[in-house]
Amino acid sequence: MSSKAKILLIYTGGTIGMSKDFETGALKAFNFGKLLQNIPEIKQLDCNIETFSFEHPIDSSNMNPSMWTKIATIIEENYPKYDGFVVLHGSDTMSYSASALSFMLENLAKPVVFTGSQLPIGDLRTDAKENLITAIQIASLQENGKPVITEVCLYFEYKLYRGNRTSKVNAEHFRAFTAPNYPELVESGVHLKLNSHLFLPVKKDAKLIVHKNLDNHVAIIKMFPGMSEVVLSSILAIKDLKGIVLETYGSGNAPTEDWFLQLIQKAIQSGLQVVNVTQCSGGSVNMGQYETSTVLKSLGVISGKDITTEAAITKLMYLLGQNIPQNEFKDIFETALRGEISQ
Ligand code: ASP
């Protein structure tokens, strides 16, 4: 029996899988079946690779919760057969998908590595080959017959990040992602440098639970100086809205004007979950540090701490889908469930 790791490569779409029509210059969907033939280097990897492709590969701008469920289901159905999963995905919404999947896959004991590229795999200067090859290599890492990485990650441009810590920050550079509040799990140089102390510990003997109920009655509201009462009140009046991620300033600060605080108070009293995240790319919400956040704290606003907006909105969808009692929601949100916030 082969002791090589078995990897399932799941192709959802995105630039990585597109190829250039050299006559027209246009990018078009790739024949995924030929993917491995196009990268002969893959044969040198010490693993067995099988592939699964979305029937209609998408640009990741069209990603949505039902497709997250589809990815989760593919992983669930193939979980016993494979040692690791690599998800090929457009970079635009990859951080949202990696965050969502991290919440949906509870007790994960195998790696799920998202990757993609800024240039198609057939392009002369492509970043796709390195991203794909190293993502597969990382997903294949084993120690004593057990996967080394047991969480949802994102690999891009020589770095493996915890997926729910990432944001896409550049539409031009190959280094398109950062994880400002959590160091990289693996760095790829001449050797793979594993920062094992940063990995999520695996829960021994815990069975994989796949949560497929995501509630998208949510919104993200980014504060800006000059936001008017009518804008905020209109959003908060949306029928069936259950939660908002409020992107505030600095360490969680917002206006102290009466109309603003009263709208937030009314919303919370009517059962809306209000999560405070910072619009800064790094750092943490710390309500109470300034006068401009003290009232928010006393109103019962949830602290997103150092969570990314991508992880906050997907965690909100996940927790709202869990029917958590109202009085426990805040505490659960403020707890790190998959390493998405620093405790
Ligand atoms: N628009 C593409 C997508 O997200 C960009 C990429 O793949 O990098 O699907």
Side-chain angles (χ1 to χ4, degrees), residues 79-94:
Y79 197 69
K81 283 188 266 160
Y82 294 90
D83 301 298
F85 301 85
V86 173
V87 183
L88 298 180
H89 190 292
S91 63
D92 289 349
T93 62
M94 199 188 294

Side-chain angles (χ1 to χ4, degrees), residues 13-16 18 58-61 89-93 117-118 156 168:
T15 303
I16 190 166
M18 295 177 182
I58 58 159
D59 184 296
S60 77
S61 302
H89 190 292
S91 63
D92 289 349
T93 62
S117 63
Q118 295 280 54
F156 225 87
K168 181 171 180 182

